[in-house]
């Protein structure tokens, strides 16, 4: 999946001549934590975050009520040359950038112009959507040998029960390097017949760990 498919294209921006007060007001009213700073042509100049605003205000400001610092312009506090992404970057690549650099958002730039923004929250929601967790479904976890054809054998059983697959995730078995764990979400509400057949075929169903006919 490309980042252009999930990025926010209606980006709220400010210009470098706006003040900290302007940024604080925008963040509060629109419930956001990151504001790109652009010039009159939409070229990205910098980025202001909620943390930048807090760091720019000394703690004494909270005590004496002095609000003069709020009139500082954004070009004095913004992050210049922020890390950026491109609309054709893959979602997993952007997620890795956010993780490695410990940042909460990534402005998306094409031909020098700001065209979108992506946040960690956006990526988390995308993951939830991809796994099908928001849809009526059943999740199964199956331990299989790490060999060619294992996934095909499992999905054949799903097909026998006319169960559509919403998502498949594969991760290592922490107890045995020769195995893999299949985390599969099915568009079906009663997985018991499928679990029973999987176990009859020798597959280790870890979840749901329910009694089946083959164990009775």
């Amino acid at each position: 999946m490309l980042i252009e498919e999930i990025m926010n294209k209606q980006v709220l921006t400010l210009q470098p001549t706006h003040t900290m007060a302007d940024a604080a007001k925008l963040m509060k009213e629109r419930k956001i934590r990151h504001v790109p700073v652009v010039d009159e042509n939409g070229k990205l100049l910098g980025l202001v975050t909620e943390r930048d605003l807090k760091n720019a205000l000394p703690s004494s400001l909270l005590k004496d009520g002095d609000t003069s610092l709020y009139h500082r312009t954004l070009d004095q506090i913004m992050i210049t040359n922020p890390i950026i992404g491109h609309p054709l970057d893959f979602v997993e690549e952007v997620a890795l950038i956010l993780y490695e650099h410990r940042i909460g958002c990534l402005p998306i730039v094409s031909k020098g112009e700001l065209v979108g923004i992506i946040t960690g929250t956006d990526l988390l929601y995308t993951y939830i959507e991809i796994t099908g967790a928001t849809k009526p479904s059943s999740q199964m976890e199956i331990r299989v040998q790490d060999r060619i054809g294992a996934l095909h054998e499992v999905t054949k059983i799903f097909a026998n029960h006319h169960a559509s697959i919403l998502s498949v995730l594969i991760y290592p078995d922490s107890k045995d390097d020769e195995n893999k764990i299949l985390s599969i979400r099915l568009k079906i509400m009663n997985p018991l017949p499928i679990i029973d057949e999987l176990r009859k075929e020798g597959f280790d169903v870890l979840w749901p760990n329910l009694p089946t006919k083959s164990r009775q």
Side-chain angles (χ1 to χ4, degrees):
M1 178 180 289
L2 299 178
I3 208 67
E4 67 178 356
E5 299 178 53
I6 66 168
M7 69 183 185
N8 182 1
K9 299 177 182 178
Q10 305 299 319
V11 189
L12 298 172
T13 63
L14 292 173
Q15 294 189 351
T17 52
H18 280 102
T19 65
M20 290 175 57
D22 295 326
K25 181 181 179 182
L26 181 62
M27 290 181 186
K28 181 178 180 181
E29 290 180 348
R30 303 305 292 268
K31 295 181 173 58
I32 57 177
R33 294 182 295 169
H34 317 88
V35 179
V37 181
V38 300
D39 64 13
E40 60 276 7
N41 298 315
K43 180 181 178 181
L44 182 68
L45 301 177
L47 180 71
V48 173
T49 71
E50 187 178 52
R51 178 176 295 181
D52 295 330
L53 294 181
K54 292 180 179 179
N55 290 341
L57 296 173
S59 58
S60 59
L61 181 64
L62 303 177
K63 298 178 182 179
D64 57 27
D66 180 14
T67 60
S68 61
L69 288 178
Y70 275 109
H71 298 295
R72 293 174 64 187
T73 54
L74 298 183
D75 57 359
Q76 299 178 61
I77 69 163
M78 69 183 185
I79 302 169
T80 56
N81 298 316
I83 300 171
I84 61 173
H86 187 274
L88 299 183
D89 288 340
F90 286 106
V91 169
E92 54 267 37
E93 294 172 344
V94 170
L96 184 60
I97 291 173
L98 293 185
Y99 174 77
E100 289 183 338
H101 292 275
R102 298 294 191 270
I103 54 179
C105 80
L106 201 67
I108 307 301
V109 175
S110 178
K111 298 180 180 178
E113 182 181 349
L114 179 71
V115 295
I117 192 169
I118 193 77
T119 68
T121 301
D122 296 329
L123 292 175
L124 179 59
Y125 183 74
T126 298
Y127 169 77
I128 294 172
E129 284 284 291
I130 289 175
T131 61
T134 59
K135 300 178 177 64
S137 57
S138 297
Q139 184 171 351
M140 301 179 66
E141 293 206 344
I142 308 162
R143 178 184 286 119
V144 300
Q145 291 184 345
D146 187 9
R147 58 178 175 79
I148 296 174
L151 179 60
H152 174 66
E153 293 171 9
V154 170
T155 56
K156 277 178 58 179
I157 294 175
F158 296 154
N160 292 340
H161 292 265
H162 306 287
S164 297
I165 299 174
L166 293 176
S167 66
V168 178
L169 298 176
I170 304 174
Y171 60 92
D173 183 355
S174 60
K175 299 180 180 179
D176 191 338
D177 293 339
E178 295 184 358
N179 293 331
K180 293 289 186 181
I181 306 298
L182 307 181
S183 180
I184 303 175
R185 189 169 290 275
L186 300 173
K187 193 176 181 180
I188 189 172
M189 297 308 296
N190 179 18
L192 292 180
I194 297 176
I195 294 173
D196 190 55
E197 185 171 345
L198 284 167
R199 285 175 172 159
K200 285 180 179 178
E201 295 298 323
F203 292 105
D204 186 6
V205 180
L206 305 177
W207 181 265
N209 189 17
L210 300 173
T212 61
K213 294 178 181 179
S214 60
R215 290 191 169 188
Q216 295 174 355

